[in-house]
């Protein structure tokens, strides 16, 4: 019998997101999401800096991988704004039908 067990753990894929990426995040307890840029990206958490809209200040929020796995976060991010990636974002079928109809 082994003394140490190896267990798989959830982690952010560092090839998908990195420092400097633009990110929009919405926690399930927030009324609306916040947009900023990733200042720290590790396998266990992301730290996002954003402008809160008051004076000459910035703020930040932390996105732990455990909360993302639990479905508490909606996240959209992009490195170059040509491709926007999403995780945990529910698509509203009514909105999608309206956007796809071409304004008809």
């Amino acid at each position: 019998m082994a003394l140490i067990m190896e267990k798989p753990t959830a982690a952010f894929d560092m090839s998908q997101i990195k420092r400097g990426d633009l990110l929009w995040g919405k926690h399930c307890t927030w009324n609306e999401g916040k947009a900023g840029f990733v200042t720290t990206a590790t396998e266990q958490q992301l730290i996002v800096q954003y402008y809160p809209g008051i004076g000459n200040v910035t703020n930040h929020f932390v996105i732990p991988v455990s909360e993302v796995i639990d479905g508490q976060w909606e996240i959209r991010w992009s490195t170059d704004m040509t491709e926007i990636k999403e995780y945990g974002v529910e698509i509203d079928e009514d909105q999608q039908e309206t956007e796809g109809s071409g304004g008809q």
Side-chain angles (χ1 to χ4, degrees):
M1 178 184 282
L3 176 62
I4 299 172
M5 296 181 355
E6 291 186 30
K7 296 182 179 179
T9 59
F12 287 113
D13 183 352
M14 296 290 87
S15 68
Q16 294 295 313
I17 192 163
K18 65 184 183 313
R19 185 174 184 216
D21 285 358
L22 300 172
L23 184 142
W24 174 90
K26 181 179 180 293
H27 190 266
C28 62
T29 60
W30 299 351
N31 291 331
E32 55 186 45
K34 295 177 174 61
F37 59 93
V38 178
T39 57
T40 303
T42 68
E43 290 184 348
Q44 295 304 307
Q45 73 178 7
L46 302 173
I47 300 177
V48 181
Q49 186 172 359
Y50 70 97
Y51 174 66
I54 54 170
N56 192 18
V57 289
T58 60
N59 204 343
H60 72 279
F61 57 91
V62 179
I63 304 175
V65 72
S66 60
E67 290 183 3
V68 175
I69 293 299
D70 287 343
Q72 297 180 31
W73 285 91
E74 293 179 28
I75 301 172
R76 292 185 178 107
W77 74 98
S78 179
T79 300
D80 56 8
M81 293 301 291
T82 57
E83 179 184 4
I84 299 174
K85 301 173 186 173
E86 299 180 337
Y87 187 90
V89 178
E90 294 181 17
I91 297 173
D92 183 3
E93 291 181 19
D94 293 335
Q95 181 179 2
Q96 189 177 25
E97 289 175 10
T98 304
E99 291 173 356
S101 67
Q104 297 175 2

